[in-house]
Structures are given as C-alpha cells and as structure tokens.
Amino acid sequence: MRIERIETFRGAVPLIKPFKTALRTVTTAEAIFVKIICDNGIVGWGEAPPTVVITGDSLLSIDSAINYVIKPFLEKKSLLNYELLFQGLKTILVGNSSAKAAVDMALYDCLAQYCKLPLYQFLGGHKQELETDFTVSVNGPEEMGDDAVSYIQQGFNVLKVKVGKDDIATDLERIREVRNRVGNNIKIRLDANQGWTAKDAIRAIRKMEDSGLQIELVEQPVKADDIEGLKQVTDHVDTLIMADESVFTARQAFQVLKTRSADLINIKLMKAGGIYQAQIINQLAETCGVECMVGSMIETRLGISAAAHFAASKQNITRYDFDAPLMLAKEIVDGGIQYNGRFITMPSEPGLGIKGVIFEGGVSVG
C-alpha cells in the first residue's frame, strides 16, 4: 500500500458562542484538512486547527509545512513501513506539531482501514465509550453561572471551567458562582491556561480547598516553561495539578515526570505532533504511575475523532475533553465518533470512520 497523493483543504465553521480562555477568544473554528489517497483506494483524513498562541501554528504555516516539506517526503512511499514514516515525520522539520498531527492521523486512518479495524481497536481497543466534559468559557461570574447551568441541563456531569484572566479575586468569584449554581454533585475542573503565578495559584487553590469548593483538578496554573513553578504548586496544594502547555514532547513529559512537577498530564495531538508521539508520552506517564487526559483544540468532529480513538485505546487515559464539535454552529464532517449527550461512542467502521468533509459552497470531498 503506497501513498499515491496528499491533498489539503481549508475549512471554517462558526461557533455557537465565542470560546474564551486566558489566552484567546475564538469565534470561528478554522482548520487545514488533509486527505491521503493510497494506490489501493484507501483514503485517510486529518485535521489541524491554527492555535498560534499555543502551538505557534497558523493556517498558512500548517498548509506550507504539509505541501512543501511533508508531502514530498511521504508521497510514493509504502505505508506498510510506517515506523520509518512516523520517525521521518518527527525529524524532517522542527516544530510544526499541528501539521504533523494532521498527517499522522491520516496515516493511522489508512493503516487501520487496511487492517479492517476501527482505529481505537488497531491502537489497543481498551474501551468503546467515553464521557466528555463541557467547557465553561471565561466571562463574568453571572454569565459563567448561566452557562454552567445550561450545560448541566443538557446532561453534562463534568465541567471544565476556564479561569486565569483578570485577577485572583475575580477568578474565585467565578468559581464560587459556578459551584453555587450547579450544586455539589457536579465535577468541576479548572483550566488557568498559564494565567497565574505559582504564588497566586497556591493562594487561590488553598482558598478553594478551605472553602470546600471541591475542585477535582487545576490545569496548567503557571507559564508553560515554568516547570519549577508548576512543581511548587503541585507540592503545596492537595488538589490535583495537571500539566498541559508544559508538555508538548516526550522529552518535556519526561522532565515533568522525573521531577514530579504535576499529578496528571493532558495530551493533545496538536501539541504532540500526532498519535505516534502521543502514545510515547502516555507510556512514559503510565510507567511513572501518572494518569493522562486527552484534550483538544477547537476542532471539528474529524480531529476530535482521531483524539477519541487514541484515548479510547489506552487504559492509562482516564479523562476526556472532547466537547469542541458540540460548540460548532453546523456539522461539516460525515462520520466519525457519535455523541449521545455527554457520552461518545466509537465508530465500528474501519479507521477513523470518516466518510467525507463538506467544504464551503457545498463541495463534498469523500
């Protein structure tokens, strides 16, 4: 099975409501979509959204990296020698993790189809159903409380509440409002998106603990490169601390794990450069007794399907942040994972289970 050609397309879908974090506000989900066509007729799909404030990747850089560097390397090569392809994908260019991730998931889509297996089974097949959280964007306390109640009414039991914007006092007000509105039976996770200093994080988390706010975990409280600060927070609070932007690569994961700087790791394909490298990070974490979550950027059902297949395949991945497709004003992807409220069911079709993507103007590419 050889790679006959690789094509890229640009897509954009408006969000139902702006997605706001300490780092950015998103109103439209944009992405570069990748289509790999093999000589035996198998077609694989991938997706890469631009997240310049996190990965540094823009639409133009993703498209250029794929078409001018990755495509010439992969075309006409045998997919059955996939170890060489994934190792080459890692080394042929520095960075560009989103472009690599889109191509990586398309390659895995092809391989699993060749083996006539859903991708999650090809990768390990640990479970067929996942439960996602739903994200509460950072806004005023009252609006966040309203949003939280709305998501609970839709059936979600786990909320990921964005903080890290403005000051600590305002963040605490936001958290108290959400907890008061949803009650004590709903699980709340916080994501500061690098918005706090270590001292502020410790002070804020201790106040939450003393107030009985029952926060399950706090994600990336400090700047991505502040591993010492991350460890300081982890060592001085009882609440679980999760590393996100601090861990892109396996080497960074090793550093966090070796120093016990976090209790959990959030793996995202767009950071890791795809499933191949994400598996290495998860294996390192599992060896050290550290559970992982798999999260995502603002992606369509295509990219989230790839992340969900990976997450469903591994025992050590115990938390899931796959709500992005539910935030979109319309569906452009045919196939993939299926949502039933907060529950996600993996497709039974081989590969990602993607049948095609509908682009602007109603052009379907399948």
Side-chain angles (χ1 to χ4, degrees):
M1 180 171 65
R2 294 189 177 275
I3 299 171
E4 193 65 30
R5 66 183 189 276
I6 299 174
E7 301 173 354
T8 59
F9 310 87
R10 183 179 296 192
V13 186
L15 271 62
I16 297 170
K17 181 184 174 95
F19 176 80
K20 298 180 182 179
T21 74
L23 293 173
R24 60 179 183 149
T25 296
V26 181
T27 58
T28 302
E30 298 180 291
I32 297 295
F33 294 89
V34 178
K35 185 179 182 183
I36 292 181
I37 301 98
C38 300
D39 60 358
N40 60 357
I42 287 177
V43 174
W45 284 97
E47 176 186 359
T51 49
V52 291
V53 297
I54 300 173
T55 66
D57 299 327
S58 67
L59 283 172
L60 285 175
S61 71
I62 293 167
D63 195 54
S64 295
I66 293 171
N67 281 297
Y68 295 106
V69 182
I70 298 173
K71 179 178 175 178
F73 167 72
L74 288 177
E75 282 189 339
K76 309 308 178 185
K77 285 189 169 62
S78 171
L79 246 176
L80 301 184
N81 299 326
Y82 58 87
E83 173 73 6
L84 295 175
L85 302 189
F86 288 121
Q87 290 288 353
L89 189 60
K90 175 186 174 183
T91 58
I92 56 172
L93 74 167
V94 174
N96 291 277
S97 59
S98 300
K100 292 175 180 178
V103 174
D104 168 283
M105 65 178 73
L107 292 173
Y108 271 109
D109 190 10
C110 293
L111 286 167
Q113 288 182 61
Y114 180 80
C115 294
K116 296 180 172 57
L117 290 172
L119 181 55
Y120 80 97
Q121 291 183 342
F122 178 82
L123 295 171
H126 183 258
K127 44 194 167 293
Q128 191 176 6
E129 187 177 76
L130 311 174
E131 180 183 352
T132 184
D133 58 20
F134 204 98
T135 303
V136 179
S137 288
V138 60
N139 287 296
E142 185 174 353
E143 183 176 354
M144 292 179 71
D146 290 342
D147 287 343
V149 170
S150 172
Y151 303 144
I152 298 306
Q153 290 174 344
Q154 294 173 41
F156 292 91
N157 284 343
V158 184
L159 297 177
K160 182 175 180 178
V161 178
K162 294 289 188 178
V163 291
K165 192 175 182 181
D166 306 312
D167 53 44
I168 289 293
T170 304
D171 274 339
L172 287 170
E173 188 179 350
R174 290 172 170 128
I175 298 160
R176 290 191 189 100
E177 179 70 15
V178 171
R179 175 55 79 194
N180 289 338
R181 297 285 296 277
V182 303
N184 292 326
N185 294 327
I186 299 301
K187 191 175 291 185
I188 293 178
R189 301 166 179 165
L190 301 184
D191 187 0
N193 285 113
Q194 310 177 57
W196 295 336
T197 65
K199 288 185 177 181
D200 283 344
I202 293 168
R203 185 168 66 252
I205 296 168
R206 282 178 172 172
K207 285 184 178 180
M208 295 175 215
E209 293 170 346
D210 292 342
S211 300
L213 291 176
Q214 300 179 44
I215 304 304
E216 181 202 9
L217 62 87
V218 178
E219 185 175 343
Q220 198 61 49
V222 299
K223 296 295 183 185
D225 59 357
D226 187 9
I227 303 302
E228 290 183 0
L230 185 66
K231 178 173 173 55
Q232 186 180 359
V233 177
T234 302
D235 288 345
H236 287 85
V237 300
D238 294 327
T239 304
L240 296 174
I241 302 300
M242 176 181 284
D244 180 9
E245 290 94 340
S246 290
V247 177
F248 274 58
T249 66
R251 185 179 293 273
Q252 289 171 331
F254 177 74
Q255 183 65 25
V256 167
L257 293 164
K258 181 178 70 171
T259 56
R260 293 290 173 180
S261 296
D263 301 298
L264 304 161
I265 291 177
N266 186 357
I267 303 173
K268 294 175 180 171
L269 300 188
M270 294 304 130
K271 293 186 303 168
I275 294 168
Y276 186 87
Q277 295 298 325
Q279 291 186 100
I280 298 172
I281 295 171
N282 179 61
Q283 287 164 356
L284 283 171
E286 186 172 19
T287 300
C288 296
V290 172
E291 294 178 358
C292 292
M293 177 163 90
V294 175
S296 62
M297 307 303 182
I298 300 300
E299 302 168 45
T300 71
R301 190 184 296 253
L302 199 167
I304 300 298
S305 289
H309 274 281
F310 165 59
S313 73
K314 307 299 180 186
Q315 178 176 319
N316 192 56
I317 297 170
T318 57
R319 295 167 176 84
Y320 319 98
D321 181 27
F322 296 144
D323 56 348
L326 303 176
M327 301 179 184
L328 305 183
K330 63 179 181 179
E331 181 63 77
I332 66 169
V333 177
D334 183 11
I337 57 173
Q338 298 300 312
Y339 287 87
N340 180 17
R342 66 182 184 270
F343 295 106
I344 294 171
T345 303
M346 308 310 298
S348 58
E349 298 88 353
L352 291 175
I354 300 296
K355 301 179 180 69
V357 183
I358 301 171
F359 294 100
E360 190 174 348
V363 179
S364 177
V365 181

